Amino acid sequence: MSSETLIYIILSGIIALLVALFQYRYKSKLNDKLSIAFTFLRFLSIFAILLLLINPKFNQTTTYTEKPKLIIAVDNSNSIEHLKQNENALNALNDLKQNSEISKTFDVEVFSFDENIQESDSIDFKAKSSNIDKALRQISDIYKTDIAPIVLISDGNQTFGNDFSVSNTYTQPVYPIILGDTVTYTDIKVQQLNVNKYAFLKNRFPVEAILVYQGNASVSSTFTIEQGNRVLYTKALNFSKNDNSKVISLTLPANSVGVKSYSAKLVPLSNEKNVINNTKNFAVEVIDQKTKIALVSDFPHPDMGAIKKSIESNEQRTVEILDPYRILDKVNDFQLVILYQPNNKFKRLYEQIEIENKNTLTIVGTKTDLNFLNTNNKAFSIVATGQNEDFQANLNLNYAPFLIEDINFEAFPPLKGPFGDVTFNSPFETILEKTVLGISKNQPLVATLDYNSNRRGVIFGENIWQWRAQSYLNEESFNPFDDFTGKLVQYLASNRRKSRLTVDYESFYTGNTNIILKAQTFDKNYQFDDRQSLELILENVSSKEKSTRPFILKNNNYQIDLSGLEASKYNFTVRSKGENISKSGSFEVLEFNIEQQFLNADVTKLMQLATNTNGKSYFTDNLSDLTSELSSNEGYKPIQKSNKNTVPLIDWKYLLGLIILTLSSEWFLRKYNGLI
C-alpha cells in the first residue's frame, strides 16, 4: 500500500471522528452513554463511506511450482501385437506412469494413436493402420508453447502419412521407445501380384507373382495358387542370399461367370517368424461378353493410338483401327463406331450407319470436313467459319446419364477444334463445356445424345492424346483418364434402356481400400432427381447379418461409405423410399491387413527421429536410462513461478454491509429513545 493511500485513510478517520463528535458531543443534550454510542456508530458509518470512496489496495504475491509435461504417445496399431510386443508396450507405459522420479518432475499425459490420435491410455493394439507423423504433428501443435518432451512407444512401422524420420515440423524433442530389435529374420513372402480385374469366359487369364526371400541360407519352398480347396497351380522354388527373388508367370482358366477368388501361397519355412505375408488373395471377374469397337480414320494421328490404348485398358473391350472403306463389310461386327474427323470418304459409311442404326462417337478436329459432316450427320451441325480455336474443358456436374469423376479436366491441355456454334437436332447432355482463357462459351466440348433410338457422342476437338499424357503426369497413372474413356464408351456402346436407378460399384475390394458405392436416380423424364431418399440394405453372406444405411447426396449422385467392412461376400439392395424402384448386386471384400506385413521394428527411422528432434532412442530393456535422462535433464526441471496481484484492502461488499449495519443500528437506537 502506498504512503499516499495511508495518509488518506488517516485523514478519513480524523474527518469521520470530528463529524461524529460535532453531531453528538458538541452542545448535545443526550446522556453520556447515548452520546458515546451515537458518536461511535456515526464515526463507523462516515469512516466506512470514506474508505469505500478511497478504495485502498495492496499488492499480493503468490508463488507456485509448474512442472513440465511429459507426453507419452503409444502406437495402438496391430503390428505391435503381430510382432509380439504388446506386453512390452504396456509394461513401458505403466513403468513410466508409476515411476516416482517421473511423477515428481513431470505432469504425465497419455495419448494413443493409429490413423488418428486420442487422449487415452486404453490400448488394445487392434487398429489396422498407423500414422506416426500425424500424431507427432498434432501433439506438437497442442503443446507448442509448453515444455513437453514426447515419449513415443512404437515399432516405427507406419502405413499412412509422411516420413516421420525426416520431418522438421515437430517442436518437441522425441524419445522413442523401440518395440522390437535389430535382428534380421528369415522370411519369404508374396511381394506383389499382377492380375487383370476381368477375364473372359472359356479363356485363360494371366497372373504374375513376384516372390521375395530375405535371409542368408539357401532354402526351398513351394508356390501354389488355390481356389477354395482346389490347387490350380504348383511350383517348387529354391532361394538363396544372391538368388532372392522370383517372378512367376502363369495363366489360369476362366470356366464360369462371376467373381472368382483365389489365394497365392508360399509354403512357410521351418524357422519363419511372419507367415501372414506368405499369402495374398486376389479375385477376377469372369464375363461372357466382349465389346468390339471400330476406330475409323482417313489419316494417322497420335490420337488413334491413345484412344486405342485407353479403351483397351479394360480387357473386355477391343479396338480395331480401320479406314472408311475396309469397315463397310463388317459394320455389324462392332457395337460402337468411332468416326475420327470424318470427310467425304466417309459417305458410304454414314449411309450404312443410318441403315444399321449403329451407335457412334464422332471426333471433330481441324481436318474435319464440316460441310460434309453437316450434310450427312443428322444429329448435329456446326457453323463453318474456317477458323480453329483452342478449347479447354470444364466438367458439368449436372451430367446425368452416368457418373463422371472430376480428374482435374480444367488443368488439361486444350483441344483444338473448329470455331463455330453447334446446333443439336435432338436433346443432348453436356459432359464437358468449352472454355477459352477461363471464360465459358456455353457450348459443349464433349456431349452425348439419343438420336433415332441409338446413342451418339461427340468430342469437338483433337489432340486427345495430350489429355491421357497429362493424366499420367498428374496421377502417375493412366487409370483416371482411362476410366473416364471407359465409362463414355460403355454408355455409347450399349443400347439398353436407361434405368431410373443406377449403382456404381466394384465387384471386389481389398480390405485396406475405401469402399464407396454411388447411385443416381432419375424422374420419369430421365432427368436427375435429387429429391429421393435412398437407402442400402446390406447382408453379410457368411454371418447372415443385415443392416440398413442411408445414402447422402453429393453433387450429382448419392454416395455411401462402407470402408471398414470385414472380409466377406456381401449382397446388397439399393432402394428409394419415395418410389418403388430398387437395384441389387453383390461384391466381395478380400482380407488384407497391412499392419501384419512387417517383420521388424523400423529401428533406423526411430533413431533418426530422435536425432532430428534432439531426443534419444531406447529399447524396452533399458527404460531406466530413459527415466534417468528425463529426470536429470536440466531443461525439464520444475519451474517456480509467482503471481503479483493488486487486491482491495477491504472488500466493498463488507464495507457496504458495515455502512448499512451502523446506520440501521443508529436509527433503531434513536427510535427506541424517542429521538425520532
Side-chain angles (χ1 to χ4, degrees), residues 345-392:
K345 295 181 181 179
F346 284 67
K347 183 172 179 57
R348 290 179 59 194
L349 177 57
Y350 266 95
E351 293 172 353
Q352 197 158 350
I353 286 173
E354 292 298 326
I355 294 172
E356 302 294 343
N357 264 343
K358 282 292 176 184
N359 295 346
T360 63
L361 171 62
T362 304
I363 299 176
V364 180
T366 58
K367 295 184 178 181
T368 304
D369 187 336
L370 295 184
N371 292 324
F372 167 81
L373 185 64
N374 292 336
T375 302
N376 292 273
N377 173 63
K378 307 299 183 184
F380 63 90
S381 61
I382 308 174
V383 176
T385 63
Q387 297 180 353
N388 296 316
E389 182 64 88
D390 290 333
F391 300 110
Q392 288 189 290

Side-chain angles (χ1 to χ4, degrees), residues 336-555:
L336 174 66
V337 179
I338 300 177
L339 305 167
Y340 190 82
Q341 302 207 45
N343 52 35
N344 56 9
K345 295 181 181 179
F346 284 67
K347 183 172 179 57
R348 290 179 59 194
L349 177 57
Y350 266 95
E351 293 172 353
Q352 197 158 350
I353 286 173
E354 292 298 326
I355 294 172
E356 302 294 343
N357 264 343
K358 282 292 176 184
N359 295 346
T360 63
L361 171 62
T362 304
I363 299 176
V364 180
T366 58
K367 295 184 178 181
T368 304
D369 187 336
L370 295 184
N371 292 324
F372 167 81
L373 185 64
N374 292 336
T375 302
N376 292 273
N377 173 63
K378 307 299 183 184
F380 63 90
S381 61
I382 308 174
V383 176
T385 63
Q387 297 180 353
N388 296 316
E389 182 64 88
D390 290 333
F391 300 110
Q392 288 189 290
N394 183 39
L395 179 63
N396 174 24
L397 296 177
N398 296 318
Y399 181 77
F402 56 90
L403 296 175
I404 296 292
E405 296 287 343
D406 188 357
I407 57 174
N408 201 15
F409 287 104
E410 292 183 3
F412 280 11
L415 300 185
K416 184 174 288 292
F419 178 79
D421 291 339
V422 180
T423 302
F424 288 90
N425 299 323
S426 61
F428 68 97
E429 295 266 7
T430 299
I431 300 176
L432 300 174
E433 296 177 341
K434 291 179 180 178
T435 65
V436 177
L437 300 177
I439 301 173
S440 175
K441 306 299 290 183
N442 295 319
Q443 288 277 308
L445 181 61
V446 181
T448 60
L449 63 152
D450 290 333
Y451 182 79
N452 284 351
S453 74
N454 60 9
R455 290 177 175 173
R456 304 288 175 92
V458 59
I459 301 175
F460 294 100
E462 61 181 74
N463 295 332
I464 297 167
W465 67 271
Q466 294 182 4
W467 280 16
R468 191 167 190 261
Q470 187 65 46
S471 176
Y472 185 85
L473 292 176
N474 292 345
E475 305 291 339
E476 295 185 357
S477 171
F478 293 116
N479 290 340
F481 178 78
D482 291 348
D483 288 345
F484 165 71
T485 307
K487 289 182 178 181
L488 177 61
V489 168
Q490 180 181 5
Y491 173 76
L492 293 176
S494 173
N495 282 320
R496 289 181 300 176
R497 185 176 180 272
K498 187 185 294 185
S499 172
R500 291 188 57 199
L501 174 61
T502 62
V503 182
D504 185 22
Y505 66 99
E506 299 288 341
S507 298
F508 52 88
Y509 302 88
T510 54
N512 64 325
T513 59
N514 293 329
I515 304 174
I516 308 292
L517 270 64
K518 299 180 181 181
Q520 284 187 312
T521 57
F522 304 93
D523 60 23
K524 293 182 180 180
N525 294 320
Y526 294 102
Q527 299 297 313
F528 177 68
D529 188 355
D530 60 2
R531 299 167 297 174
Q532 295 293 328
S533 178
L534 296 185
E535 64 181 9
L536 175 79
I537 303 171
L538 187 68
E539 179 187 14
N540 186 320
V541 174
S542 300
S543 65
K544 304 301 180 184
E545 181 181 352
K546 287 187 177 182
S547 62
T548 302
R549 311 185 188 193
F551 280 81
I552 61 171
L553 180 64
K554 186 175 182 180
N555 295 329

